[in-house]
Amino acid sequence: MIDVRNPADGFTSLRARIHALGDPGPNGCGADSAPLTVGEWALLIDDIVAHPESNTEPLWNVADPEDDDREFDAIFIGGGAAGRFGSAALRARGGRQLTIDAWPFLGGSCPHQACVPHHLFSEVARELDLARHMQERLWYPPFDEKRASILDVIELFKAGRGYPHAIMNWQSKEQLDMEYILNARATLIDARTVEVAGQRFTARNLVLCTGAHTVFPEIAGIGLKGVYDYSSLIEELDYEPNRCVIIGGSKVAMEYGSFFHATGCKTTILTRSPLMRTASLHHVDEGLRDYVIAMMADRGIEIVQDAEPVEVLGNGKVTGIRYRTADGHEHQIDTDFVFVGTGERPNLDMYAPLGLATDERGFVIADTHMRTNVPGVYAAGDLVGPPMEMFKARKCGVGAARNIMGEDYEFDYTQYPDFLHTTYEVTWCGLSEAEARNRYRNVIKIQMPPDDADPENFALPAAEGSMIYAFTRPILSGWLKLVIDADTRKILGAHHVGYGAKDAFQYIDYLIRRPEGFTMDEMAELNELFLNPEHFIQLCRLRAGQAMPVNL
Amino acid sequence: MIDVRNPADGFTSLRARIHALGDPGPNGCGADSAPLTVGEWALLIDDIVAHPESNTEPLWNVADPEDDDREFDAIFIGGGAAGRFGSAALRARGGRQLTIDAWPFLGGSCPHQACVPHHLFSEVARELDLARHMQERLWYPPFDEKRASILDVIELFKAGRGYPHAIMNWQSKEQLDMEYILNARATLIDARTVEVAGQRFTARNLVLCTGAHTVFPEIAGIGLKGVYDYSSLIEELDYEPNRCVIIGGSKVAMEYGSFFHATGCKTTILTRSPLMRTASLHHVDEGLRDYVIAMMADRGIEIVQDAEPVEVLGNGKVTGIRYRTADGHEHQIDTDFVFVGTGERPNLDMYAPLGLATDERGFVIADTHMRTNVPGVYAAGDLVGPPMEMFKARKCGVGAARNIMGEDYEFDYTQYPDFLHTTYEVTWCGLSEAEARNRYRNVIKIQMPPDDADPENFALPAAEGSMIYAFTRPILSGWLKLVIDADTRKILGAHHVGYGAKDAFQYIDYLIRRPEGFTMDEMAELNELFLNPEHFIQLCRLRAGQAMPVNL
C-alpha cells in the first residue's frame, strides 16, 4: 500500500517517487514529511490512471489504530459526489468515516468522465457556435469545418483532469480531515463489514454510493467499435468521427449531440419520445422547449422522433445504423460514430449479500432519510435513481451522514431547479406556464421576446455572453419567461435560455419555494446588475406598480 | 410633428414613410392604423439618428385633449433609465405622465452610448482574450494581432442599436401605456411648466432625469482630435487606434481599457489613485482586487499609479501624452488615442430657473424620497450622483413616481451589489474580508483558490465560461471568496471574478441583507446547478456541519 499520510516514508519515499514523475509546481517542494500538495497529487493520480497495471497498490489514508481506535460511524462505498460530501458531513459532525473508491481519486465519475467534461464540451460547443456564426465578421476568420476535433478536446480534458482529482484528494484530507482508501475495490462481507486491500473494516453503518452506468440498447452490432457512451467516449475514442448518430433523447443526448455537431461532425439524434418531453424532465415549459429545439435545428442538428434503432451496422467497426420510424419503415444512416444517450442503471453487483430492495427499474429504494430496507445500510446518489444530478447525490450523501450522526434529517429531491446545455445554457425552476394555468385561475407571464414580436429583430435578451448574438442576429440571443400568479403576485416559475443566468436560478428557486413565496413586487425591489441575463428584476419592476398586472 | 399614435395619418403616412426606408421585417406589415412595430420603430429611429438635420420634427405620443384632459401628475424630463422606469411606475399606479427626451428614443445614453456598448465591448474583450490565449490550440487559428478592430466593433454596435431603442419606444407605448414626446428639447419655464415643440405643458410635479457627462481634465491639448470619452468614442471615432492611453482609473477606464487592449491596441492606464481603491467603489475585497489587477497585468495592460496628466500632445491630432509621476518626473508616451475615464458631472444647464441645491461636486441634492429643495421637483438617476448604475437610476425614478402618487417610499442606494468588467466579470456584495474582520471577532472565509494553493495548477473555479481556461491555464479561470461570521454563521460578503456568477449576486445580495441574514447552513441547503460558477453552495455544505466552521 502507498501511505499518503507519510509521504517521506518507504524504501523510496512517496515524495521522491512523485518528483521523479515530473515537476509538481512551486508548492511541491515543502518539507519531506509535509502533506502532498495538489501538484504532487496530480502527478501521482495521472501516473496511476495512465499505468493501472503497474499501480495496483491502494492509496492509504487511514489513521493507525494506535492513534485512533474509534469505531467507524460509517463506511462510504464509493467516493463520488454522494460518498465524498457524505463523508465530509459525517466527519464535520465529529463522526469517524472511511471512504473507499476503486479509482485513485475522490469525486467519482463526474470529474473523470461525466459532468466536468460535459461542461468543457458545452463551453467548446458555445465557442464553436459563435466562431462559426461570426466567421468573416469582426476579427473572426473563415470557419474551417475540418479544424475542430472531438478527439483534441477529449485529449485536453484528459491531460487536465488530474488537477480536479488532485484538488479533491488534497481538500478531503487536508481541509476536511477525511480518512480514505483509494485505488482499491471493496468487497462487501455483511451489512457492517467491508474488506479492502486484504483488511476488514467494520462500521456502525454502510453508505452505498457506487453510482450508475449507461444501459446500451440490446440491438445487433451495439458492441462494435465506434459505439460509445459518455464514459467510453473519454477513455476509448481513438479516431476523429466524421458523422454522428445518437441513440436516445436524454439530456446527455442533447448535450453531447450539440457538442459533436458544433465541432463539424454532422449529428442526428434518434429518439423515441420528443426531446425534453420525457418523464425524467419535469416542469419543462413548452415555450422554452420550442426555442431550444428550434435553435438546435437552426444549427443543423437532425432530430428524428419516434425512432427505434434496429441494428448498428459494421464489420469490426461501425459503418452505419438502421432504425425504424413510427410508420414501420426502416431507414439507414451511414456513420462512423454512434453515441448512446439513453438511460442509466445502478451499479449494484457487489451488494448481492445484502438483499437490497429495488424498484422496477432496478434502482435502490431509499426513504427520505436515505435508509434502504437493510438496517444500518443507506444508499445515496445515482444508485437511488433520477435525477442524476450533483445536488441530489451530494445532499443524499449528506442526508445519510446527518441521520447516522443522530439527526432526523429528510431530503426530498422531487422538486428542484434543473438545467441542460445545448450550445446554450437552458435553466428552469418552478412551474411551466401550462402547469401554472392548470393550478391558478389568473396567470400572467413576463417573456422576452414576447409572443407577438419578430424574434429576428427583437434584440433581447442581451447580456453577458449573448451581446454578440444580439447585435448580429437577435433570435440567437436567448429566450426567457417568468410565470406569475396575478392574484397573489407570487412568482410560480422561471425559465431561461441563453448565458449567465444559470447560477441565479439556484437562488430564484430557493426564493420562490419559501413557504411565503416570492412576489413580483419583492423581485422588483432588488438591485439589478445590469445587463442581468434574465432581466427578471427590471421586467417585474415595470409591472409591479399595477394593481392587477398583465403580461409583459 | 410626427404623430406616432396614428401611423396611417398625414399627407405621406408615417407608415409609408418608414417603409420607404427599408424592410421592417415580417411583423411590419399590419393594418395601416396598427401601432408601429419594433421593426418599424427601428427604421424610423435609425433614420433620425443618421440624419438629424432633416429630422427635426418631434415624435408625438400624447393623447388628444379631447380624449384625455387630465392634468399630468408628473413630467419626466429625460427618458433614460430613471425617466422611463419612473414614468412606467407612475402610469402603472394610474397616474398620468409625460416623458420628454431630446433623443428620438427612450432609454437614454445607456443603450445609445454607455452601458449597452460597454457590455458588447466587454464580451468582445473576453472572446478576444480567449482567442489569443488559445491560439494554435484546439481549433483556434494563430491570433492575428492586427485583425481585431475597435472601429469595426463600434460600427457593429451602431448598426444594431436601433433595435434596443425601438423595443423601448414600442414597449413604453404598447405595453406600458406611457405618453411621450421624443426628438425634442424641453425648456423649463417654472417648477410646474415645461415648453416643448412650441407647446406648454403643466404638471403637478417635475422629475428631473437628464443624466451626466464626462468631465475632461483641464490640460493643454485635451480638445485635440483623438481624445474621446465613452460617448464621443461611439459617435466620432473614425480611425483605427494603434496605441491607447487612458486618463483616469474609474470602472469605465478599466472596462474600456480592457477592451482596447484585447483588440491588440496596447493600452496604458494613467491613474491618480490605485485602481479599485477609489472612494466611488465600496466594499472592494483586497484579494479580489489583487486578482483583477494581476490578470490585467498578465494581459499586458500597463497601469501607472500616482500619474498626473500634464498635456496631450499633437498637431490637430493626438500624437502623444505627457504625464508626471509622484517623484515629480515627467514622462511621455507616443499615442494616437487618448480615452478619458475620469468622473462625471450632472447635466444641469436647463434647470437654472429652479435654483436647485447641489453638493460640492455639483450633483443635485435629493432626499431618500427623491425630493429636491424645490417643492414638487424631484431628481433621479445620475443627476443625484454616484453610483452611476442602472439599478439606482431606475429605482430613483420609480421612487419619485411612488411618492408623487401618494406613497411614502424611501430608496437608500448607499448599499448595493456592484460589478465591473475587465476581460472578466467582477462582482461583489456585502463586506470585504477586511471590513468583516474589523466588525466581527470571528470571521472565516471560503476561498478558491485557497491562499496556500499554487493558482497555476489549482483548476478551480471552473464553470460556465471558465472551463477552457481551467483546462489550459488554471490561474486564468477566476477567483472567489465568501466571508462568514463564524459566530452567527451568517454570510457577510461574497466576491467573485470569472464568468456566469454576476446574475446570482443580485439574489445573494438580497438574501444576505435580509434582517435575518442568510447563514452558511441555509446556503448549504440549496440545490446547486453544477458546475455553478461561484461554488458557494457546495463549499458552504462542506463546512456547514461543523459546530465551529473554519476556513476552506
Side-chain angles (χ1 to χ4, degrees), chain A residues 24 26-27 38-39 85 88 92-93 110 115-116 119-120 123-124 126-128 130 137-141 147-148 152-153 156-157 160-161 163 167 170-171 175-176 390-391 394-395 398 402 409 415-419 421 425 427 448 450 452-454 457-460 463-468 471-472 500-508 510-511 514 518 522-523 525-534 537-539 541-543 545-546 552, chain B residues 24 26-27 38-39 85 88 92-93 110 115-116 119-120 123-124 126-128 130 137-141 147-148 152-153 156-157 160-161 163-164 167 170-171 175-176 390-391 394-395 398 402 409 415-419 421 425 427 448 450 452-454 457-460 463-468 471-472 500-508 510-511 514 518 522-523 525-534 537-539 541-543 545-546 552:
Chain A
N27 286 11
V38 170
F85 271 69
R93 279 161 176 78
C110 165
C115 11
V116 171
H119 276 77
L120 176 62
E123 184 171 315
V124 163
R126 177 262 194 283
E127 293 298 334
L128 284 168
L130 192 58
R137 298 177 73 163
L138 300 181
W139 67 90
Y140 288 89
R147 200 172 162 99
D152 283 355
V153 180
L156 177 71
F157 167 70
R161 68 180 167 179
Y163 282 117
I167 291 170
W170 170 82
Q171 182 191 58
Q175 294 191 311
L176 303 173
M390 209 53 150
F391 84 90
R394 288 165 165 173
K395 288 177 73 175
V398 170
R402 293 171 74 157
Y409 180 82
Q415 296 299 323
Y416 50 90
D418 209 353
F419 78 98
H421 286 99
E425 300 165 26
T427 325
M448 285 281 166
D452 54 2
D454 170 18
N457 67 25
F458 200 94
L460 283 172
E464 321 293 328
S466 61
M467 296 303 296
I468 294 175
F471 276 88
T472 51
K502 186 179 141 196
D503 207 43
F505 272 70
Q506 304 171 136
Y507 303 98
I508 297 173
Y510 169 78
L511 290 166
R514 295 183 304 182
F518 192 55
E522 291 172 302
M523 175 78 96
E525 284 294 302
L526 266 59
N527 294 325
E528 69 271 26
L529 295 169
F530 190 79
L531 282 168
N532 37 339
E534 27 77 358
I537 296 171
Q538 61 268 29
L539 292 175
R541 190 177 298 139
L542 286 173
R543 279 302 187 219
Q546 297 176 315
L552 196 65
Chain B
N27 286 10
V38 170
F85 271 69
R93 280 162 175 78
C110 165
C115 11
V116 171
H119 276 77
L120 176 63
E123 183 171 314
V124 163
R126 176 262 195 283
E127 293 297 335
L128 284 167
L130 192 58
R137 296 178 73 164
L138 299 182
W139 68 91
Y140 288 90
R147 199 170 163 102
D152 283 355
V153 179
L156 177 71
F157 167 70
R161 67 179 168 180
Y163 282 117
I167 291 171
W170 169 83
Q171 181 191 58
Q175 293 191 312
L176 304 172
M390 208 55 149
F391 84 90
R394 289 165 164 172
K395 288 177 72 175
V398 169
R402 292 172 74 157
Y409 181 84
Q415 295 301 323
Y416 49 89
D418 208 352
F419 78 99
H421 285 101
E425 300 164 27
T427 324
M448 285 282 166
D452 53 2
D454 170 17
N457 67 24
F458 200 94
L460 283 171
E464 322 291 329
S466 61
M467 296 302 297
I468 294 175
F471 276 88
T472 52
K502 186 179 142 195
D503 207 44
F505 272 70
Q506 305 170 134
Y507 303 98
I508 296 172
Y510 168 78
L511 290 166
R514 296 182 305 182
F518 191 55
E522 291 172 302
M523 175 77 96
E525 283 295 300
L526 266 59
N527 294 324
E528 69 272 27
L529 294 169
F530 190 80
L531 281 170
N532 36 340
E534 28 77 358
I537 296 171
Q538 61 269 28
L539 292 175
R541 190 177 299 139
L542 286 174
R543 279 302 188 218
Q546 296 176 316
L552 197 64

